Amino acid sequence: MNPWAVDAGCAPDCAADAAPRVPMAEAVRRCAALARTIARGVSRGDRLAEPEALRGQALNILGALGIRMVAGPQPLTVPGGSGRPGTLIVANHISWLDVVAVLAVEPVTLLAKREIGQWPVIGTLARRVGTRFIDREELRELPRVMADLASVLSSGRSVLVFPQATTWCSAPGGRFRRATFQAALDAGAPVRPVTISYEQTGAPSTVAAFLGDEDFVTSLRRVAGASGLTARVTAHPPLLLTDRRSLAAEALAAVGGAQPLAHAP
């Protein structure tokens, strides 16, 4: 079995509004605001990689698109002393907005498929934050990528991964692959399950989902026209390190059982 193999995910028509669309003029204004925000971020060069600058850029992107951000008060990284490994943050995967939402809470290193690095908006953010890219078509990459991931965690940096390897319209979606959990075991790093979800005017919404063979521009237009959109990032208690099979199952259960939060950063 290929560890990089992905589930089929949801069909593109699973992405739908749960509230009336904003007027076309407002959607155009949001896209223009997004373009200005990205241009300002790119102009900062390497300074964009600084944690507070990156977090601010992520918040500005969400603000430009009219998206409200909600998260709990606890950090995504499990607190630890000097010399301790970073945290493996494992989350469900719904949208390209997932990365922006997590970076708006806490800038961390990302593990993403190679294609992400070529995307507008997200690709720029991903490259600047030092993302580790993987080629899911190359099975021989697995040992090297996992060793690199364990090394990053051992250095004290926290890493965000999407073990589902594809996007679903809502949590928990598909199964969690086990390979990345082995990197946490090798590094002795804590594992933090995180649930990402989206709402419109208080009701669950799939409008932000990026599904199937949909292109980025089509998804961006749908998001820019969504009204009352909120991104929620829910952090769960860290898991006890056991074996990668158990960790994957426990993380999936935690992500699927998330309760809405009422704290705004």
mmCIF file of all heavy atoms in Angstrom, residues 62 67-72 90-95 97-102 105 162 164 168-173 194-200 202-209 228-236 254-262:
data_model
loop_
_atom_site.group_PDB
_atom_site.id
_atom_site.type_symbol
_atom_site.label_atom_id
_atom_site.label_comp_id
_atom_site.label_asym_id
_atom_site.label_seq_id
_atom_site.Cartn_x
_atom_site.Cartn_y
_atom_site.Cartn_z
ATOM 1 N N LEU A 62 -7.342 36.979 6.011
ATOM 2 C CA LEU A 62 -8.702 36.639 6.426
ATOM 3 C C LEU A 62 -9.581 37.886 6.470
ATOM 4 O O LEU A 62 -10.735 37.872 6.026
ATOM 5 C CB LEU A 62 -8.684 35.965 7.798
ATOM 6 C CG LEU A 62 -7.980 34.603 7.866
ATOM 7 C CD1 LEU A 62 -7.925 34.111 9.305
ATOM 8 C CD2 LEU A 62 -8.674 33.573 6.981
ATOM 9 N N ILE A 67 -13.479 37.329 6.515
ATOM 10 C CA ILE A 67 -13.596 36.114 7.314
ATOM 11 C C ILE A 67 -13.244 36.416 8.766
ATOM 12 O O ILE A 67 -12.189 36.980 9.055
ATOM 13 C CB ILE A 67 -12.666 35.008 6.776
ATOM 14 C CG1 ILE A 67 -13.043 34.685 5.323
ATOM 15 C CG2 ILE A 67 -12.757 33.761 7.646
ATOM 16 C CD1 ILE A 67 -12.068 33.741 4.646
ATOM 17 N N ARG A 68 -14.109 36.021 9.670
ATOM 18 C CA ARG A 68 -13.862 36.175 11.113
ATOM 19 C C ARG A 68 -13.092 34.967 11.605
ATOM 20 O O ARG A 68 -13.350 33.830 11.197
ATOM 21 C CB ARG A 68 -15.185 36.294 11.863
ATOM 22 C CG ARG A 68 -15.068 36.416 13.375
ATOM 23 C CD ARG A 68 -16.431 36.714 13.982
ATOM 24 N NE ARG A 68 -16.396 36.723 15.446
ATOM 25 C CZ ARG A 68 -16.818 35.740 16.216
ATOM 26 N NH1 ARG A 68 -17.343 34.648 15.659
ATOM 27 N NH2 ARG A 68 -16.761 35.830 17.530
ATOM 28 N N MET A 69 -12.130 35.208 12.494
ATOM 29 C CA MET A 69 -11.289 34.138 13.031
ATOM 30 C C MET A 69 -11.643 33.878 14.484
ATOM 31 O O MET A 69 -11.723 34.812 15.289
ATOM 32 C CB MET A 69 -9.818 34.577 12.925
ATOM 33 C CG MET A 69 -8.819 33.553 13.418
ATOM 34 S SD MET A 69 -8.724 32.137 12.308
ATOM 35 C CE MET A 69 -8.703 30.810 13.507
ATOM 36 N N VAL A 70 -11.878 32.618 14.843
ATOM 37 C CA VAL A 70 -12.194 32.238 16.214
ATOM 38 C C VAL A 70 -11.285 31.085 16.623
ATOM 39 O O VAL A 70 -11.147 30.106 15.889
ATOM 40 C CB VAL A 70 -13.667 31.822 16.361
ATOM 41 C CG1 VAL A 70 -13.948 31.356 17.787
ATOM 42 C CG2 VAL A 70 -14.592 32.970 15.986
ATOM 43 N N ALA A 71 -10.665 31.209 17.792
ATOM 44 C CA ALA A 71 -9.792 30.147 18.304
ATOM 45 C C ALA A 71 -9.789 30.182 19.820
ATOM 46 O O ALA A 71 -10.196 31.179 20.432
ATOM 47 C CB ALA A 71 -8.369 30.310 17.765
ATOM 48 N N GLY A 72 -9.313 29.096 20.422
ATOM 49 C CA GLY A 72 -9.247 29.021 21.867
ATOM 50 C C GLY A 72 -8.060 29.786 22.419
ATOM 51 O O GLY A 72 -7.162 30.193 21.673
ATOM 52 N N VAL A 90 -1.695 18.025 14.256
ATOM 53 C CA VAL A 90 -2.387 17.254 13.215
ATOM 54 C C VAL A 90 -3.819 17.755 13.110
ATOM 55 O O VAL A 90 -4.547 17.809 14.096
ATOM 56 C CB VAL A 90 -2.339 15.741 13.513
ATOM 57 C CG1 VAL A 90 -0.914 15.226 13.397
ATOM 58 C CG2 VAL A 90 -2.881 15.411 14.890
ATOM 59 N N ALA A 91 -4.216 18.137 11.908
ATOM 60 C CA ALA A 91 -5.534 18.742 11.707
ATOM 61 C C ALA A 91 -6.260 18.100 10.537
ATOM 62 O O ALA A 91 -5.643 17.530 9.632
ATOM 63 C CB ALA A 91 -5.380 20.249 11.449
ATOM 64 N N ASN A 92 -7.580 18.201 10.565
ATOM 65 C CA ASN A 92 -8.376 17.817 9.400
ATOM 66 C C ASN A 92 -8.144 18.843 8.287
ATOM 67 O O ASN A 92 -7.648 19.947 8.532
ATOM 68 C CB ASN A 92 -9.853 17.753 9.756
ATOM 69 C CG ASN A 92 -10.390 19.097 10.226
ATOM 70 O OD1 ASN A 92 -9.917 19.667 11.214
ATOM 71 N ND2 ASN A 92 -11.398 19.627 9.528
ATOM 72 N N HIS A 93 -8.505 18.467 7.067
ATOM 73 C CA HIS A 93 -8.196 19.323 5.915
ATOM 74 C C HIS A 93 -9.468 19.587 5.113
ATOM 75 O O HIS A 93 -10.081 18.655 4.599
ATOM 76 C CB HIS A 93 -7.157 18.631 5.038
ATOM 77 C CG HIS A 93 -6.362 19.554 4.186
ATOM 78 N ND1 HIS A 93 -6.423 20.929 4.288
ATOM 79 C CD2 HIS A 93 -5.466 19.293 3.183
ATOM 80 C CE1 HIS A 93 -5.597 21.478 3.398
ATOM 81 N NE2 HIS A 93 -5.018 20.504 2.725
ATOM 82 N N ILE A 94 -9.849 20.857 5.034
ATOM 83 C CA ILE A 94 -11.057 21.266 4.317
ATOM 84 C C ILE A 94 -10.734 22.168 3.137
ATOM 85 O O ILE A 94 -11.296 22.023 2.057
ATOM 86 C CB ILE A 94 -12.033 21.998 5.269
ATOM 87 C CG1 ILE A 94 -12.552 21.032 6.336
ATOM 88 C CG2 ILE A 94 -13.205 22.604 4.498
ATOM 89 C CD1 ILE A 94 -13.439 21.690 7.390
ATOM 90 N N SER A 95 -9.812 23.101 3.347
ATOM 91 C CA SER A 95 -9.635 24.194 2.393
ATOM 92 C C SER A 95 -8.200 24.699 2.395
ATOM 93 O O SER A 95 -7.431 24.455 3.331
ATOM 94 C CB SER A 95 -10.582 25.342 2.780
ATOM 95 O OG SER A 95 -10.323 26.517 2.043
ATOM 96 N N LEU A 97 -7.754 27.612 2.919
ATOM 97 C CA LEU A 97 -7.843 28.558 4.017
ATOM 98 C C LEU A 97 -7.361 27.958 5.336
ATOM 99 O O LEU A 97 -7.042 28.701 6.278
ATOM 100 C CB LEU A 97 -9.288 29.035 4.197
ATOM 101 C CG LEU A 97 -9.795 30.118 3.252
ATOM 102 C CD1 LEU A 97 -11.298 30.301 3.421
ATOM 103 C CD2 LEU A 97 -9.060 31.440 3.486
ATOM 104 N N ASP A 98 -7.299 26.631 5.438
ATOM 105 C CA ASP A 98 -6.856 25.991 6.673
ATOM 106 C C ASP A 98 -5.492 26.507 7.103
ATOM 107 O O ASP A 98 -5.257 26.799 8.282
ATOM 108 C CB ASP A 98 -6.789 24.467 6.501
ATOM 109 C CG ASP A 98 -8.119 23.837 6.150
ATOM 110 O OD1 ASP A 98 -9.164 24.506 6.305
ATOM 111 O OD2 ASP A 98 -8.113 22.676 5.710
ATOM 112 N N VAL A 99 -4.575 26.581 6.144
ATOM 113 C CA VAL A 99 -3.219 27.032 6.443
ATOM 114 C C VAL A 99 -3.242 28.461 6.970
ATOM 115 O O VAL A 99 -2.579 28.789 7.958
ATOM 116 C CB VAL A 99 -2.324 26.925 5.193
ATOM 117 C CG1 VAL A 99 -0.975 27.577 5.450
ATOM 118 C CG2 VAL A 99 -2.145 25.471 4.790
ATOM 119 N N VAL A 100 -4.013 29.328 6.304
ATOM 120 C CA VAL A 100 -4.094 30.726 6.732
ATOM 121 C C VAL A 100 -4.668 30.811 8.143
ATOM 122 O O VAL A 100 -4.175 31.568 8.989
ATOM 123 C CB VAL A 100 -4.955 31.545 5.752
ATOM 124 C CG1 VAL A 100 -4.977 33.010 6.162
ATOM 125 C CG2 VAL A 100 -4.427 31.411 4.332
ATOM 126 N N ALA A 101 -5.709 30.029 8.419
ATOM 127 C CA ALA A 101 -6.347 30.065 9.733
ATOM 128 C C ALA A 101 -5.387 29.635 10.832
ATOM 129 O O ALA A 101 -5.316 30.262 11.902
ATOM 130 C CB ALA A 101 -7.593 29.176 9.736
ATOM 131 N N VAL A 102 -4.626 28.568 10.597
ATOM 132 C CA VAL A 102 -3.681 28.102 11.614
ATOM 133 C C VAL A 102 -2.560 29.113 11.821
ATOM 134 O O VAL A 102 -2.178 29.419 12.953
ATOM 135 C CB VAL A 102 -3.110 26.721 11.233
ATOM 136 C CG1 VAL A 102 -1.956 26.345 12.161
ATOM 137 C CG2 VAL A 102 -4.197 25.658 11.306
ATOM 138 N N VAL A 105 -3.404 31.879 14.057
ATOM 139 C CA VAL A 105 -3.394 31.555 15.477
ATOM 140 C C VAL A 105 -1.962 31.478 15.989
ATOM 141 O O VAL A 105 -1.608 32.064 17.015
ATOM 142 C CB VAL A 105 -4.119 30.214 15.738
ATOM 143 C CG1 VAL A 105 -4.029 29.830 17.209
ATOM 144 C CG2 VAL A 105 -5.574 30.313 15.307
ATOM 145 N N PHE A 162 -1.450 17.600 7.678
ATOM 146 C CA PHE A 162 -2.826 17.190 7.386
ATOM 147 C C PHE A 162 -2.801 15.703 7.041
ATOM 148 O O PHE A 162 -2.623 15.340 5.871
ATOM 149 C CB PHE A 162 -3.401 18.006 6.229
ATOM 150 C CG PHE A 162 -3.477 19.491 6.497
ATOM 151 C CD1 PHE A 162 -2.643 20.371 5.828
ATOM 152 C CD2 PHE A 162 -4.384 20.000 7.413
ATOM 153 C CE1 PHE A 162 -2.712 21.732 6.067
ATOM 154 C CE2 PHE A 162 -4.461 21.365 7.670
ATOM 155 C CZ PHE A 162 -3.621 22.230 6.993
ATOM 156 N N GLN A 164 -4.938 13.516 6.533
ATOM 157 C CA GLN A 164 -5.926 13.002 5.579
ATOM 158 C C GLN A 164 -5.388 13.029 4.156
ATOM 159 O O GLN A 164 -5.880 12.301 3.294
ATOM 160 C CB GLN A 164 -7.213 13.823 5.647
ATOM 161 C CG GLN A 164 -7.991 13.614 6.937
ATOM 162 C CD GLN A 164 -9.085 14.640 7.117
ATOM 163 O OE1 GLN A 164 -8.935 15.808 6.766
ATOM 164 N NE2 GLN A 164 -10.199 14.224 7.680
ATOM 165 N N TRP A 168 -11.750 17.456 2.532
ATOM 166 C CA TRP A 168 -13.124 17.011 2.710
ATOM 167 C C TRP A 168 -13.961 18.229 3.057
ATOM 168 O O TRP A 168 -13.442 19.237 3.544
ATOM 169 C CB TRP A 168 -13.212 15.965 3.814
ATOM 170 C CG TRP A 168 -12.477 14.714 3.499
ATOM 171 C CD1 TRP A 168 -11.127 14.523 3.554
ATOM 172 C CD2 TRP A 168 -13.036 13.478 3.044
ATOM 173 N NE1 TRP A 168 -10.804 13.248 3.168
ATOM 174 C CE2 TRP A 168 -11.950 12.592 2.853
ATOM 175 C CE3 TRP A 168 -14.330 13.048 2.802
ATOM 176 C CZ2 TRP A 168 -12.138 11.276 2.428
ATOM 177 C CZ3 TRP A 168 -14.520 11.741 2.374
ATOM 178 C CH2 TRP A 168 -13.445 10.868 2.179
ATOM 179 N N CYS A 169 -15.263 18.155 2.865
ATOM 180 C CA CYS A 169 -16.097 19.336 3.077
ATOM 181 C C CYS A 169 -16.285 19.672 4.546
ATOM 182 O O CYS A 169 -16.673 20.785 4.897
ATOM 183 C CB CYS A 169 -17.455 19.174 2.388
ATOM 184 S SG CYS A 169 -18.516 17.883 3.111
ATOM 185 N N SER A 170 -16.023 18.710 5.453
ATOM 186 C CA SER A 170 -16.182 18.968 6.879
ATOM 187 C C SER A 170 -15.343 17.967 7.662
ATOM 188 O O SER A 170 -14.831 16.990 7.117
ATOM 189 C CB SER A 170 -17.648 18.863 7.299
ATOM 190 O OG SER A 170 -18.151 17.556 7.034
ATOM 191 N N ALA A 171 -15.180 18.216 8.964
ATOM 192 C CA ALA A 171 -14.447 17.284 9.824
ATOM 193 C C ALA A 171 -15.366 16.132 10.219
ATOM 194 O O ALA A 171 -16.568 16.327 10.368
ATOM 195 C CB ALA A 171 -13.959 18.025 11.074
ATOM 196 N N PRO A 172 -14.859 14.911 10.446
ATOM 197 C CA PRO A 172 -13.458 14.557 10.338
ATOM 198 C C PRO A 172 -13.021 14.117 8.948
ATOM 199 O O PRO A 172 -11.837 13.959 8.701
ATOM 200 C CB PRO A 172 -13.333 13.401 11.323
ATOM 201 C CG PRO A 172 -14.663 12.709 11.241
ATOM 202 C CD PRO A 172 -15.662 13.816 11.030
ATOM 203 N N GLY A 173 -13.957 13.865 8.021
ATOM 204 C CA GLY A 173 -13.558 13.459 6.674
ATOM 205 C C GLY A 173 -12.916 12.090 6.644
ATOM 206 O O GLY A 173 -13.370 11.167 7.321
ATOM 207 N N VAL A 194 -6.039 19.028 16.206
ATOM 208 C CA VAL A 194 -6.697 20.325 15.995
ATOM 209 C C VAL A 194 -7.826 20.149 14.980
ATOM 210 O O VAL A 194 -7.645 19.492 13.946
ATOM 211 C CB VAL A 194 -5.692 21.377 15.475
ATOM 212 C CG1 VAL A 194 -6.407 22.630 14.992
ATOM 213 C CG2 VAL A 194 -4.695 21.751 16.572
ATOM 214 N N THR A 195 -8.981 20.714 15.295
ATOM 215 C CA THR A 195 -10.113 20.697 14.375
ATOM 216 C C THR A 195 -10.265 22.056 13.720
ATOM 217 O O THR A 195 -10.283 23.082 14.398
ATOM 218 C CB THR A 195 -11.421 20.355 15.104
ATOM 219 O OG1 THR A 195 -11.284 19.094 15.732
ATOM 220 C CG2 THR A 195 -12.590 20.304 14.117
ATOM 221 N N ILE A 196 -10.388 22.056 12.391
ATOM 222 C CA ILE A 196 -10.660 23.263 11.625
ATOM 223 C C ILE A 196 -12.066 23.147 11.060
ATOM 224 O O ILE A 196 -12.431 22.120 10.485
ATOM 225 C CB ILE A 196 -9.643 23.437 10.482
ATOM 226 C CG1 ILE A 196 -8.217 23.517 11.053
ATOM 227 C CG2 ILE A 196 -9.958 24.672 9.653
ATOM 228 C CD1 ILE A 196 -7.127 23.451 10.006
ATOM 229 N N SER A 197 -12.871 24.183 11.250
ATOM 230 C CA SER A 197 -14.240 24.161 10.738
ATOM 231 C C SER A 197 -14.641 25.559 10.287
ATOM 232 O O SER A 197 -13.990 26.554 10.628
ATOM 233 C CB SER A 197 -15.214 23.656 11.803
ATOM 234 O OG SER A 197 -15.181 24.486 12.955
ATOM 235 N N TYR A 198 -15.718 25.626 9.507
ATOM 236 C CA TYR A 198 -16.192 26.903 8.960
ATOM 237 C C TYR A 198 -17.694 27.036 9.180
ATOM 238 O O TYR A 198 -18.433 26.041 9.135
ATOM 239 C CB TYR A 198 -15.867 26.985 7.460
ATOM 240 C CG TYR A 198 -14.378 26.956 7.196
ATOM 241 C CD1 TYR A 198 -13.718 25.747 6.977
ATOM 242 C CD2 TYR A 198 -13.621 28.128 7.199
ATOM 243 C CE1 TYR A 198 -12.351 25.701 6.771
ATOM 244 C CE2 TYR A 198 -12.247 28.096 6.986
ATOM 245 C CZ TYR A 198 -11.624 26.881 6.779
ATOM 246 O OH TYR A 198 -10.262 26.840 6.587
ATOM 247 N N GLU A 199 -18.110 28.270 9.418
ATOM 248 C CA GLU A 199 -19.529 28.570 9.639
ATOM 249 C C GLU A 199 -19.910 29.817 8.852
ATOM 250 O O GLU A 199 -19.063 30.649 8.520
ATOM 251 C CB GLU A 199 -19.798 28.836 11.119
ATOM 252 C CG GLU A 199 -19.471 27.704 12.052
ATOM 253 C CD GLU A 199 -19.622 28.105 13.512
ATOM 254 O OE1 GLU A 199 -19.967 29.288 13.760
ATOM 255 O OE2 GLU A 199 -19.401 27.263 14.380
ATOM 256 N N GLN A 200 -21.198 29.924 8.565
ATOM 257 C CA GLN A 200 -21.771 31.151 8.018
ATOM 258 C C GLN A 200 -22.944 31.543 8.891
ATOM 259 O O GLN A 200 -23.861 30.734 9.087
ATOM 260 C CB GLN A 200 -22.226 30.958 6.573
ATOM 261 C CG GLN A 200 -21.082 30.945 5.559
ATOM 262 C CD GLN A 200 -21.580 30.804 4.153
ATOM 263 O OE1 GLN A 200 -21.863 29.694 3.696
ATOM 264 N NE2 GLN A 200 -21.709 31.926 3.447
ATOM 265 N N GLY A 202 -23.310 31.579 11.943
ATOM 266 C CA GLY A 202 -23.521 30.649 13.041
ATOM 267 C C GLY A 202 -23.890 29.236 12.654
ATOM 268 O O GLY A 202 -23.984 28.376 13.519
ATOM 269 N N ALA A 203 -24.099 28.962 11.369
ATOM 270 C CA ALA A 203 -24.471 27.615 10.927
ATOM 271 C C ALA A 203 -23.287 26.957 10.216
ATOM 272 O O ALA A 203 -22.529 27.633 9.509
ATOM 273 C CB ALA A 203 -25.658 27.682 9.973
ATOM 274 N N PRO A 204 -23.089 25.643 10.374
ATOM 275 C CA PRO A 204 -22.003 24.964 9.663
ATOM 276 C C PRO A 204 -22.098 25.213 8.164
ATOM 277 O O PRO A 204 -23.188 25.217 7.591
ATOM 278 C CB PRO A 204 -22.232 23.484 10.003
ATOM 279 C CG PRO A 204 -22.983 23.508 11.301
ATOM 280 C CD PRO A 204 -23.869 24.725 11.225
ATOM 281 N N SER A 205 -20.949 25.418 7.540
ATOM 282 C CA SER A 205 -20.924 25.724 6.108
ATOM 283 C C SER A 205 -19.782 24.992 5.427
ATOM 284 O O SER A 205 -18.711 24.812 6.006
ATOM 285 C CB SER A 205 -20.753 27.233 5.895
ATOM 286 O OG SER A 205 -20.581 27.538 4.517
ATOM 287 N N THR A 206 -20.021 24.584 4.181
ATOM 288 C CA THR A 206 -18.984 23.952 3.365
ATOM 289 C C THR A 206 -18.477 24.885 2.271
ATOM 290 O O THR A 206 -17.749 24.461 1.382
ATOM 291 C CB THR A 206 -19.526 22.672 2.714
ATOM 292 O OG1 THR A 206 -20.643 23.005 1.867
ATOM 293 C CG2 THR A 206 -19.984 21.662 3.765
ATOM 294 N N VAL A 207 -18.835 26.164 2.331
ATOM 295 C CA VAL A 207 -18.502 27.090 1.256
ATOM 296 C C VAL A 207 -16.998 27.237 1.059
ATOM 297 O O VAL A 207 -16.531 27.510 -0.059
ATOM 298 C CB VAL A 207 -19.150 28.474 1.509
ATOM 299 C CG1 VAL A 207 -18.497 29.193 2.690
ATOM 300 C CG2 VAL A 207 -19.102 29.348 0.257
ATOM 301 N N ALA A 208 -16.215 27.048 2.117
ATOM 302 C CA ALA A 208 -14.763 27.223 2.012
ATOM 303 C C ALA A 208 -14.050 25.987 1.481
ATOM 304 O O ALA A 208 -12.853 26.047 1.175
ATOM 305 C CB ALA A 208 -14.184 27.581 3.377
ATOM 306 N N ALA A 209 -14.766 24.876 1.347
ATOM 307 C CA ALA A 209 -14.120 23.622 0.958
ATOM 308 C C ALA A 209 -13.502 23.720 -0.432
ATOM 309 O O ALA A 209 -14.071 24.313 -1.349
ATOM 310 C CB ALA A 209 -15.133 22.483 1.005
ATOM 311 N N GLY A 228 -20.807 36.356 6.116
ATOM 312 C CA GLY A 228 -20.779 35.882 7.495
ATOM 313 C C GLY A 228 -19.911 34.667 7.726
ATOM 314 O O GLY A 228 -20.240 33.821 8.558
ATOM 315 N N LEU A 229 -18.787 34.557 6.996
ATOM 316 C CA LEU A 229 -17.953 33.360 7.098
ATOM 317 C C LEU A 229 -17.008 33.460 8.309
ATOM 318 O O LEU A 229 -16.335 34.471 8.507
ATOM 319 C CB LEU A 229 -17.142 33.167 5.823
ATOM 320 C CG LEU A 229 -16.275 31.897 5.722
ATOM 321 C CD1 LEU A 229 -17.134 30.646 5.853
ATOM 322 C CD2 LEU A 229 -15.512 31.886 4.401
ATOM 323 N N THR A 230 -16.964 32.394 9.091
ATOM 324 C CA THR A 230 -16.091 32.303 10.261
ATOM 325 C C THR A 230 -15.227 31.054 10.150
ATOM 326 O O THR A 230 -15.717 29.984 9.805
ATOM 327 C CB THR A 230 -16.909 32.225 11.569
ATOM 328 O OG1 THR A 230 -17.637 33.434 11.750
ATOM 329 C CG2 THR A 230 -16.004 32.006 12.773
ATOM 330 N N ALA A 231 -13.941 31.200 10.432
ATOM 331 C CA ALA A 231 -13.027 30.054 10.518
ATOM 332 C C ALA A 231 -12.762 29.762 11.983
ATOM 333 O O ALA A 231 -12.438 30.663 12.757
ATOM 334 C CB ALA A 231 -11.717 30.370 9.802
ATOM 335 N N ARG A 232 -12.917 28.503 12.382
ATOM 336 C CA ARG A 232 -12.688 28.101 13.775
ATOM 337 C C ARG A 232 -11.524 27.116 13.855
ATOM 338 O O ARG A 232 -11.459 26.158 13.082
ATOM 339 C CB ARG A 232 -13.935 27.438 14.362
ATOM 340 C CG ARG A 232 -15.093 28.392 14.599
ATOM 341 C CD ARG A 232 -16.247 27.681 15.282
ATOM 342 N NE ARG A 232 -17.334 28.613 15.551
ATOM 343 C CZ ARG A 232 -17.469 29.298 16.679
ATOM 344 N NH1 ARG A 232 -16.567 29.137 17.644
ATOM 345 N NH2 ARG A 232 -18.478 30.121 16.851
ATOM 346 N N VAL A 233 -10.649 27.348 14.796
ATOM 347 C CA VAL A 233 -9.527 26.445 15.057
ATOM 348 C C VAL A 233 -9.642 25.981 16.503
ATOM 349 O O VAL A 233 -9.512 26.782 17.432
ATOM 350 C CB VAL A 233 -8.178 27.141 14.817
ATOM 351 C CG1 VAL A 233 -7.028 26.223 15.206
ATOM 352 C CG2 VAL A 233 -8.044 27.547 13.337
ATOM 353 N N THR A 234 -9.914 24.696 16.688
ATOM 354 C CA THR A 234 -10.132 24.124 18.018
ATOM 355 C C THR A 234 -8.977 23.190 18.364
ATOM 356 O O THR A 234 -8.798 22.159 17.707
ATOM 357 C CB THR A 234 -11.452 23.338 18.068
ATOM 358 O OG1 THR A 234 -12.529 24.170 17.639
ATOM 359 C CG2 THR A 234 -11.727 22.824 19.469
ATOM 360 N N ALA A 235 -8.201 23.537 19.381
ATOM 361 C CA ALA A 235 -7.091 22.701 19.830
ATOM 362 C C ALA A 235 -7.564 21.754 20.928
ATOM 363 O O ALA A 235 -8.296 22.152 21.838
ATOM 364 C CB ALA A 235 -5.952 23.570 20.336
ATOM 365 N N HIS A 236 -7.144 20.497 20.835
ATOM 366 C CA HIS A 236 -7.514 19.475 21.817
ATOM 367 C C HIS A 236 -6.305 19.115 22.686
ATOM 368 O O HIS A 236 -5.166 19.417 22.330
ATOM 369 C CB HIS A 236 -8.030 18.231 21.091
ATOM 370 C CG HIS A 236 -9.148 18.523 20.144
ATOM 371 N ND1 HIS A 236 -10.433 18.779 20.551
ATOM 372 C CD2 HIS A 236 -9.165 18.629 18.777
ATOM 373 C CE1 HIS A 236 -11.203 19.019 19.497
ATOM 374 N NE2 HIS A 236 -10.459 18.944 18.419
ATOM 375 N N ALA A 254 -10.446 12.662 18.183
ATOM 376 C CA ALA A 254 -10.466 13.982 18.816
ATOM 377 C C ALA A 254 -10.924 15.048 17.839
ATOM 378 O O ALA A 254 -11.759 15.903 18.160
ATOM 379 C CB ALA A 254 -9.082 14.320 19.360
ATOM 380 N N VAL A 255 -10.416 14.998 16.628
ATOM 381 C CA VAL A 255 -10.775 15.990 15.611
ATOM 382 C C VAL A 255 -12.255 15.902 15.264
ATOM 383 O O VAL A 255 -12.939 16.916 15.114
ATOM 384 C CB VAL A 255 -9.907 15.795 14.345
ATOM 385 C CG1 VAL A 255 -10.468 16.570 13.171
ATOM 386 C CG2 VAL A 255 -8.468 16.216 14.620
ATOM 387 N N GLY A 256 -12.785 14.697 15.155
ATOM 388 C CA GLY A 256 -14.185 14.521 14.797
ATOM 389 C C GLY A 256 -15.154 14.866 15.896
ATOM 390 O O GLY A 256 -16.333 15.131 15.642
ATOM 391 N N GLY A 257 -14.687 14.929 17.162
ATOM 392 C CA GLY A 257 -15.575 15.210 18.268
ATOM 393 C C GLY A 257 -15.478 16.622 18.790
ATOM 394 O O GLY A 257 -15.876 16.895 19.923
ATOM 395 N N ALA A 258 -14.955 17.554 17.961
ATOM 396 C CA ALA A 258 -14.732 18.932 18.410
ATOM 397 C C ALA A 258 -16.038 19.631 18.746
ATOM 398 O O ALA A 258 -17.071 19.409 18.119
ATOM 399 C CB ALA A 258 -14.001 19.723 17.331
ATOM 400 N N GLN A 259 -15.979 20.493 19.751
ATOM 401 C CA GLN A 259 -17.112 21.344 20.115
ATOM 402 C C GLN A 259 -16.781 22.784 19.726
ATOM 403 O O GLN A 259 -15.642 23.219 19.817
ATOM 404 C CB GLN A 259 -17.384 21.275 21.622
ATOM 405 C CG GLN A 259 -17.781 19.886 22.101
ATOM 406 C CD GLN A 259 -19.092 19.437 21.485
ATOM 407 O OE1 GLN A 259 -20.033 20.216 21.379
ATOM 408 N NE2 GLN A 259 -19.156 18.178 21.073
ATOM 409 N N PRO A 260 -17.764 23.573 19.292
ATOM 410 C CA PRO A 260 -17.502 24.964 18.922
ATOM 411 C C PRO A 260 -16.918 25.751 20.090
ATOM 412 O O PRO A 260 -17.277 25.536 21.246
ATOM 413 C CB PRO A 260 -18.890 25.503 18.534
ATOM 414 C CG PRO A 260 -19.689 24.300 18.194
ATOM 415 C CD PRO A 260 -19.172 23.208 19.091
ATOM 416 N N LEU A 261 -16.037 26.696 19.776
ATOM 417 C CA LEU A 261 -15.421 27.550 20.775
ATOM 418 C C LEU A 261 -16.131 28.887 20.817
ATOM 419 O O LEU A 261 -16.848 29.269 19.900
ATOM 420 C CB LEU A 261 -13.933 27.776 20.460
ATOM 421 C CG LEU A 261 -13.036 26.536 20.516
ATOM 422 C CD1 LEU A 261 -11.626 26.919 20.124
ATOM 423 C CD2 LEU A 261 -13.031 25.945 21.907
ATOM 424 N N ALA A 262 -15.909 29.626 21.869
ATOM 425 C CA ALA A 262 -16.534 30.937 21.990
ATOM 426 C C ALA A 262 -15.493 32.013 22.301
ATOM 427 O O ALA A 262 -15.802 33.062 22.810
ATOM 428 C CB ALA A 262 -17.569 30.918 23.091
#
